């Protein structure tokens, strides 16, 4: 069980998994939602990372459940703001304690965790050596127009409408910072995803591919939605990751 203090003094909690043999490389494993929380349980994906020799930080950043309603709502109105800063602060804490090499930090996650991965690879690109983004959000404006749950953006995250502040929603989108991306990024998604349309993955891929020389890849899984269900797709995803 791992705790750290965010820049505004908030105590943030998460789980730190230590590889038995590692070169102080770390993967930040960001859960989705953010109305979800990581627990002390066996996670096959995290176990795979540990077997590869990486430490893993699984943060319950603000907006996560498990700490009451106030904490769960504390990220509202500030999407990609302090909620994702909590994650960066957690990385800083690992570095300060000598548990992680600052040059060997990767990031991954799906859905809202994929949004965080895209954000880290662009907005905080100096901090992350590699990223794997899965079914993630890259453009809040077009995401609202293509999702099967458009009201979630207002009800859970932004607490204001896109047409009330287009500039805000654009500047909280990874595509806005794509020109500064130096983090090699693998983008993967289900080709039939109705929750986060695969065009979100296509957008970020095109921005990075066109505006930078940074290595970027795009994989769309036929017949898959918001998360791979087919065993062949899951195996392929794991190998690529």
């Amino acid at each position: 069980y791992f705790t750290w203090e965010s820049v505004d003094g908030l105590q943030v909690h998460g789980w730190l998994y230590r590889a038995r043999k590692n070169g102080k490389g770390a993967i930040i494993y960001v859960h989705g939602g953010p109305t979800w929380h990581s627990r002390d349980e066996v996670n096959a994906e995290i176990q795979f990372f540990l077997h590869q020799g990486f430490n893993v930080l699984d943060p319950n950043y603000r907006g996560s459940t498990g700490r009451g309603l106030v904490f769960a709502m504390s990220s509202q109105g500030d999407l990609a703001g302090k909620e994702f800063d909590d994650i960066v602060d957690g990385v800083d804490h690992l570095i300060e304690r000598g548990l992680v090499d600052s040059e060997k930090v990767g990031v991954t996650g799906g859905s809202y965790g994929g949004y965080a991965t895209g954000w880290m690879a662009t907005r905080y690109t100096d901090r992350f050596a590699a990223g794997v983004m899965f079914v993630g959000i890259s453009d809040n404006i077009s995401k609202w127009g293509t999702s099967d749950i458009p009201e979630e953006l207002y009800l859970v995250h932004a607490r204001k409408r896109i047409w009330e502040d287009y500039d805000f929603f654009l500047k909280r989108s990874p595509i806005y910072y794509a020109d500064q991306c130096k983090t090699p990024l693998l983008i993967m998604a289900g080709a039939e995803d109705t929750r986060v349309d695969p065009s979100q993955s296509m957008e970020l891929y095109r921005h990075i591919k066109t505006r930078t020389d940074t290595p970027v890849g795009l994989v769309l899984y036929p017949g898959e939605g918001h998360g791979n269900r087919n065993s062949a797709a899951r195996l392929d995803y794991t190998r690529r990751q």
Side-chain angles (χ1 to χ4, degrees):
Y1 193 64
F2 193 71
T3 64
W4 64 95
E5 189 173 289
S6 194
V7 290
D8 62 355
L10 180 71
Q11 287 293 316
V12 184
H13 302 171
W15 298 96
L16 176 64
Y17 298 86
R18 304 286 299 276
R20 290 183 178 179
K21 297 180 181 179
N22 75 86
K24 292 195 174 179
I27 294 173
I28 312 305
Y29 184 83
V30 188
H31 70 70
T35 47
W36 186 257
H37 66 273
S38 300
R39 300 173 292 275
D40 182 18
E41 60 185 356
V42 176
N43 178 306
E45 198 167 7
I46 289 176
Q47 293 298 317
F48 175 75
F49 296 147
L50 294 170
H51 184 69
Q52 301 300 315
F54 293 99
N55 293 326
V56 179
L57 177 63
D58 191 357
N60 284 321
Y61 52 103
R62 74 187 73 196
S64 301
T65 52
R67 290 181 60 186
L69 185 61
V70 172
F71 187 83
M73 296 180 67
S74 63
S75 64
Q76 294 191 356
D78 188 29
L79 64 160
K82 291 180 179 178
E83 59 181 3
F84 291 167
D85 290 346
D86 288 344
I87 299 170
V88 177
D89 292 335
V91 173
D92 286 341
H93 194 58
L94 289 173
I95 294 169
E96 289 168 5
R97 289 186 55 180
L99 298 174
V100 171
D101 183 337
S102 63
E103 301 296 320
K104 296 181 179 180
V105 182
V107 59
T108 190
S111 194
Y112 210 76
Y115 177 32
T117 301
W119 186 257
M120 300 306 173
T122 55
R123 176 66 177 83
Y124 285 107
T125 188
D126 290 336
R127 309 299 306 279
F128 295 91
V132 177
M133 172 179 164
F134 185 51
V135 295
I137 301 157
S138 68
D139 179 351
N140 283 298
I141 296 173
S142 61
K143 191 263 184 181
W144 176 83
T146 56
S147 175
D148 63 351
I149 51 168
E151 285 299 280
E152 185 205 29
L153 183 58
Y154 169 74
L155 295 172
V156 179
H157 306 299
R159 301 304 300 168
K160 59 182 173 182
R161 302 293 185 180
I162 286 174
W163 49 90
E164 296 172 345
D165 194 347
Y166 277 101
D167 191 59
F168 170 82
F169 286 94
L170 179 59
K171 290 181 178 178
R172 298 303 175 100
S173 300
I175 60 165
Y176 186 79
Y177 303 95
D179 65 322
Q180 66 185 32
C181 177
K182 295 182 292 185
T183 303
L185 185 64
L186 175 58
I187 303 169
M188 297 189 277
E192 310 301 327
D193 191 352
T194 58
R195 187 63 33 89
V196 177
D197 192 273
S199 60
Q200 290 292 302
S201 296
M202 297 176 194
E203 278 195 53
L204 187 57
Y205 172 80
R206 180 165 294 175
H207 273 273
I208 295 174
K209 188 73 172 177
T210 302
R211 300 166 66 186
T212 78
D213 295 321
T214 302
V216 59
L218 174 65
V219 178
L220 300 180
Y221 289 96
E224 296 290 355
H226 198 60
N228 290 340
R229 295 181 179 274
N230 184 281
S231 59
R234 293 169 70 92
L235 177 61
D236 182 82
Y237 174 87
T238 301
R239 284 177 168 171
R240 291 177 186 271
Q241 186 180 47

